[in-house]
Each structure stands twice: as C-alpha cells, then as structure tokens.
Amino acid sequence: MMGFLRALSCPGIRMVGRPLSSVSASPSAAPAPAPTPSIASPSESMTVDGVTVEKTIGGKAIIQLDRPQALNSLSTRAIPLLSSALANWFSGPSLVLVTSRGKAFCAGGDLKGIASLNESGRLSFFREGYRGFNLMASMPVPTVCLVRGHALGAGVALAAHCRFAAASERATFCLPEAAVGFYTDNGASGYASKLPNRVGFFLALTGTNITAEDAKNVGLVSHVIAPERFNTLERELLEMDDPSDEKIRALLNEHEFASGGKKECVLSEDVLARIQDIFSEGSVEAVVKKLNQDGSPLAKKCLAAMRTFSPTSLKVIHRSMELGLTKPLAHCLRREILISFRMSCERDFKEGVRAILVDKDKRPSWNPRTLEEVSKEYVERIVTLPDADEHDLAHLFTLPAASAS
C-alpha cells in the first residue's frame, strides 16, 4: 500500500449512506484473466515495475522487490508476473527465495493503481494475484522470505505464505487496509484469522504495527535475525546444495542464534490476553464496546484508530475473518476474489484512496458513517461466495503437477 508508511501515524503504539443495490452479488460476466508474462528459460530473468523474477543456473528461483521510490509496493503489472512465474516454477527449482532491496520490504499492493483499473481489469487482477498467493503457499519445494524492513498488507502475506520467513530485527508488520476503505485480503481470512489469541482480528481491525519478534511469537515469521546478517544469509541460501527444510531451518537457526540481543515486543502476555478477550467478540460493535469497557492505553489507541476507519471495511473484515476460521487457504482466496472486486467498486474505497493516497488530507468521508448504519444483510452480500461458480474461479486453485524428481 504505497504511501501508508508516510501517510499514517499515531502516537504510542502505531496504528494506522451507501445503497445496498450498489453491491452486485457478482460481476455480470467473467473476463478472461489478463495475459501474463512467462519465464522463457532457466537462464532468463524478467523485471516489471521493480519486481524481478529469475531462475538461476543453479536451480534456485528468486523474486526480488526493488522499487524504493514506492516502498517496494506491488504494481498491478507486477503481481500477475509473480503469479505466472510461480506457476512456471511449480515443478522446477529446488528453492524459491523472496527478497528485497531498500529500507522497506513491501508496502503492499498499489491501491492507486487498482483504483485506476476498470471493472474487468480489477477482477482479472484479483484473480491472478490470489492465484499467485495460493501457489506460493503450496509450492512443493522450500520457500523462504527475507523480510528486511517494513511489511504491510500484501507484504505480510508474502511472508505468511512462505514456508520460512526470516525478519530483520528492525522489521514491522501491519494490516492497514481498513484505513483506506478496503479490507484485509491476500489470503488474510485464511492465515491471519487462525493466528493465536485472535491477533489476526486485532491487527486487521486496528491497523496496529507489531515488531518482528511479535510476528515470530504469533507465527507470522519463523526467525528474527540481525539486519547485518541478511546479505550473508541470502548468499548462503543461494549457494546451498540440495536445499531441504532441515538444512534451511538449521541455517536460519544459526543466524538467529548469532544475532543475539534482546528483541523488542509490543504483544506481551498481558496484551495478548486482553486481545483474546476483546477480539473474540462476535461483532465489531461488541469489540468496540469491550474496548470502551477495558479503558487501558492499548484499548484507547485501538478505539482512536478504528474511529478513523471505514465502518463498512471494519464489518467486512470481521465477517471475512470469521468465515475463514475453519476454511483452507484456497477456499478463502477464492472468496476474497469476489469480496475484493465488490469492495473495489464501492464509494469508500475510492474515497479512501483519495484521502489517504492521492490528496493525503487524511480526512475521508465514509458512507455510511457509523457501524450501526452498515447492515448485516449488506455485509453478507459483499462476502457471499455463490454456490454456482459462474466465474470459473475454482480452476485458478487447481495446482500444477509437481515434478516427480
């Protein structure tokens, strides 16, 4: 989410009448996915908007984010490239490495770019993007994500969907979509909903930044490593013979142990207990009521952030996360294609992009303005996955055949 690190701030812990008929149950037709680039040969690499995909001579596949002027946000052209590359790599490389250059790891998807697409383009974009995340999470070979800096939105998802994720001690993690009138996507209803202590609900509803150590403690990343060790770690991963889970885990453990030092935490045991109690409530209104009753500094900061967010976004996030609690990732991503498309057609998304990312006045005018005005029926129409798959979404989550070797 390009610009969020600059556009959103909060002291202390950092956080970042619409007619029902405006929500179509589904688009009237299913446009064919946009054509995507492919990797022509093992020795080739391709770069689109700062994202390079490459398969090395040694059989390792690399995704590198290098778009510092946009905090490594993923453009509407780069995400289909990732999806195409992962499909081509499904039965080829011995390792897939996701890495970056610059201070930020990935500031999420380019929401300004998404907002500029027509309806057909947005639907194709979400289809390809979520197909790519499902491929990432299902790769038959080890996948490793090196989170060197800030991760927001899709940046968090890149780490969460890899088998291993090593975060710099300086990295932070945030799910700020509600601030721009969108909702927490990229498979969050699958991975974030299942985090312990209802932490995923807390992150998605409040936009709170957590530290790398917090991310490790709740299972978003596997290791926390000193930033000065990342170049060596990346080189050793790419030079590793016959990489296996065991070899990679041992190497990451070695670098983590050598990093030493006390690591900063926001989510103490007391905070986690409060989060579980408050964010286990069955509605956003009940969460807000519990936060008001709690009255702690954390609760006050959560409330202050939520008051600035789109009420519709908050309710859709909560319901989407509830629906994902017992569902596998592929099902969640399939549902999210249509949720994302529907939300991207709504006034709040356009208004949020204007206020936060374009004009940057940070004064969005949400409609409806209150949680109470957002009806349960309205939310259900946004999150419902039709029984009849008239948009042929299921085939997007049929995985390629893995190599027998």
Side-chain angles (χ1 to χ4, degrees):
M1 258 164 240
M2 186 169 131
F4 263 111
L5 290 178
R6 299 189 187 100
L8 295 179
S9 62
C10 186
I13 295 178
R14 297 182 297 276
M15 303 181 182
V16 303
R18 188 176 310 153
L20 185 63
S21 60
S22 69
V23 182
S24 59
S26 56
S28 58
T36 55
S38 61
I39 308 305
S41 72
S43 61
E44 280 192 13
S45 69
M46 183 176 291
T47 301
V48 173
D49 291 346
V51 175
T52 299
V53 295
E54 178 179 11
K55 188 174 175 186
T56 70
I57 298 298
K60 313 292 197 312
I62 305 169
I63 296 169
Q64 180 172 289
L65 313 182
D66 189 7
R67 194 183 178 208
Q69 74 279 11
L71 303 176
N72 289 343
S73 64
L74 301 172
S75 76
T76 55
R77 297 196 314 142
I79 287 183
L81 171 70
L82 296 182
S83 177
S84 175
L86 288 165
N88 286 330
W89 291 340
F90 204 80
S91 59
S94 58
L95 167 74
V96 176
L97 177 67
V98 183
T99 186
S100 66
R101 297 293 178 261
K103 293 182 179 180
F105 168 63
C106 177
D110 182 356
L111 295 184
K112 284 196 292 186
I114 295 171
S116 71
L117 298 174
N118 61 23
E119 288 192 3
S120 173
R122 291 199 304 275
L123 181 60
S124 293
F125 170 78
F126 293 128
R127 286 162 61 113
E128 279 301 300
Y130 300 163
R131 170 177 176 256
F133 281 122
N134 189 58
L135 287 166
M136 176 72 79
S138 309
M139 293 294 286
V141 299
T143 51
V144 184
C145 186
L146 302 183
V147 186
R148 282 181 160 89
H150 306 299
L152 288 80
V156 177
L158 283 172
H161 295 319
C162 283
R163 200 173 301 176
F164 300 96
S168 163
E169 293 170 349
R170 298 172 185 166
T172 60
F173 296 78
C174 180
L175 299 175
E177 289 86 351
V180 76
F182 201 51
Y183 84 109
T184 312
D185 63 326
N186 304 305
S189 62
Y191 77 84
S193 68
K194 300 175 180 68
L195 296 179
N197 299 91
R198 302 283 281 202
V199 165
F201 285 77
F202 161 70
L203 294 176
L205 291 172
T206 68
T208 302
N209 270 347
I210 60 172
T211 69
E213 188 69 9
D214 290 323
K216 179 186 174 184
N217 290 341
V218 300
L220 278 174
V221 302
S222 58
H223 296 76
V224 179
I225 292 171
E228 61 270 17
R229 303 191 67 85
F230 269 74
N231 288 342
T232 300
L233 171 59
E234 182 172 328
R235 186 186 72 250
E236 290 174 345
L237 285 167
L238 293 175
E239 292 175 351
M240 183 179 287
D241 293 328
D242 301 318
S244 64
D245 286 0
E246 293 73 20
K247 286 183 179 180
I248 292 168
R249 186 177 294 107
L251 178 63
L252 293 171
N253 287 344
E254 176 186 329
H255 280 277
E256 184 173 53
F257 179 78
S259 297
K262 185 177 180 181
K263 300 177 177 67
E264 180 185 356
C265 274
V266 171
L267 303 180
S268 65
E269 289 186 12
D270 175 65
V271 168
L272 287 172
R274 287 177 183 271
I275 288 172
Q276 174 139 16
D277 177 55
I278 294 168
F279 289 87
S280 293
E281 293 293 333
S283 70
V284 182
E285 291 92 334
V287 168
V288 169
K289 182 178 179 180
K290 266 281 186 72
L291 286 168
N292 274 309
Q293 292 171 344
D294 183 273
S296 65
L298 173 66
K300 290 177 180 177
K301 285 164 184 170
C302 289
L303 283 169
M306 292 173 73
R307 288 190 189 108
T308 70
F309 296 168
S310 161
T312 299
S313 293
L314 291 173
K315 284 201 168 182
V316 170
I317 287 169
H318 191 273
R319 185 63 180 136
S320 175
M321 299 278 278
E322 281 187 327
L323 290 169
L325 275 168
T326 59
K327 299 294 184 182
L329 178 65
H331 178 95
C332 294
L333 285 164
R334 184 178 159 201
R335 181 189 300 277
E336 287 182 13
I337 291 172
L338 293 182
I339 299 176
S340 294
F341 174 79
R342 292 162 182 162
M343 289 291 283
S344 74
C345 294
E346 289 304 292
R347 179 190 177 280
D348 271 12
F349 175 66
K350 297 167 188 174
E351 172 64 6
V353 169
R354 180 207 65 77
I356 305 299
L357 301 176
V358 179
D359 296 343
K360 300 182 182 179
D361 58 31
K362 304 183 190 178
R363 297 179 63 184
S365 176
W366 306 126
N367 183 19
R369 298 178 65 86
T370 67
L371 291 169
E372 291 71 22
E373 292 176 275
V374 184
S375 71
K376 181 178 179 180
E377 293 76 18
Y378 180 84
V379 172
E380 288 302 315
R381 288 192 64 182
I382 291 179
V383 303
T384 297
L385 181 64
D387 292 333
D389 195 359
E390 69 268 36
H391 303 294
D392 196 20
L393 302 178
H395 83 279
L396 294 172
F397 303 101
T398 300
L399 297 173
S403 171
S405 59

